[in-house]
Amino acid sequence: MGAGMDTLLAALIGYLLGSIPFGYLLTRAAGLGDVRAQGSGNIGATNVLRTGSKKLAAATLLLDLAKGLAPVLIARALFDQPDTMPAAALGPVPAAALFAVIGHCFPVWLKFKGGKGVATNAGVCFGLAWPLGLTYAIVWLGVLGGLRISSLAGMAAVVCAAIAAAVLEYEALVPVLALIAALVLWLHRANIGRLVKGEEPRVGARK
């Protein structure tokens, strides 16, 4: 199989796994209705938490992270990515990473209306290079724990992951992580507007 077909196959794997709407499926299965009908209208863990179920929110978070990690690991295994090389040395690996996030944000099963990619990109970063995943987790949890603003924590994490890729000499990963960061920031444009106005809700605060 040629390089182009390898990349296409990796992108398809990434999209299909990334597009599994765990938040939607779990809340439906629990009899809590359509999670998109409340809060932000997204299928991510933060909105699932608004159903009042911390267990479902935690499960959604872990599964969304896993569906970012899995396509990257599968692409590395299928296309014989050497462990000693940057994860993006072969085209299929960054393709799997990018399309896993795209799949989460725009799942075909839900008319292309999904989540904002933060948890899925955490899994992607751990799959690409563990130091990037660790950086992502530290920034995400640090900002979330300190300020209790989920959107700000997610945006800070995606931007810092792209910066860390350059600083830690994973130069081949910078383009794909920068693209993902741009997508995540664009999907958070309404949140950015509320942050500027001081109106963005904090996790656990009453609406």
Side-chain angles (χ1 to χ4, degrees), residues 11 20 71 77 79 89 102 122 131 151 154 163 169 183 190:
I20 302 172
F79 304 107
I102 290 175
S151 61
I163 294 172
E169 300 184 352
L183 172 62

Side-chain angles (χ1 to χ4, degrees), residues 22-50:
F22 286 115
Y24 173 83
L25 295 173
L26 289 175
T27 51
R28 280 285 196 185
L32 298 176
D34 189 340
V35 69
R36 299 171 299 170
Q38 64 177 16
S40 64
N42 294 317
I43 61 171
T46 299
N47 208 37
V48 172
L49 184 60
R50 295 187 177 108

Side-chain angles (χ1 to χ4, degrees), residues 2-179:
M5 288 302 296
D6 288 351
T7 298
L8 182 61
L9 178 58
L12 181 61
I13 291 171
Y15 182 82
L16 291 177
L17 289 177
S19 68
I20 302 172
F22 286 115
Y24 173 83
L25 295 173
L26 289 175
T27 51
R28 280 285 196 185
L32 298 176
D34 189 340
V35 69
R36 299 171 299 170
Q38 64 177 16
S40 64
N42 294 317
I43 61 171
T46 299
N47 208 37
V48 172
L49 184 60
R50 295 187 177 108
T51 65
S53 176
K54 293 181 179 178
K55 290 183 178 180
L56 283 183
T60 300
L61 177 66
L62 292 174
L63 288 169
D64 283 351
L65 191 152
K67 73 184 186 183
L69 175 64
V72 176
L73 297 183
I74 290 171
R76 292 181 69 184
L78 284 180
F79 304 107
D80 195 26
Q81 174 65 56
D83 291 336
T84 56
M85 296 176 64
L90 296 178
V93 177
L98 175 61
F99 278 86
V101 178
I102 290 175
H104 174 75
C105 298
F106 307 106
V108 63
W109 327 110
L110 299 180
K111 299 181 179 179
F112 303 102
K113 294 184 67 175
K116 295 181 179 178
V118 173
T120 301
N121 194 37
V124 161
C125 287
F126 274 107
L128 290 174
W130 71 261
L132 300 182
L134 184 60
T135 299
Y136 197 102
I138 290 172
V139 173
W140 188 14
L141 296 175
V143 175
L144 183 61
L147 299 177
R148 308 294 294 174
I149 301 177
S150 179
S151 61
L152 183 59
M155 288 187 286
V158 296
V159 171
C160 286
I163 294 172
V167 173
L168 299 175
E169 300 184 352
Y170 291 99
E171 292 90 349
L173 297 176
V174 173
V176 67
L177 291 176
L179 280 172

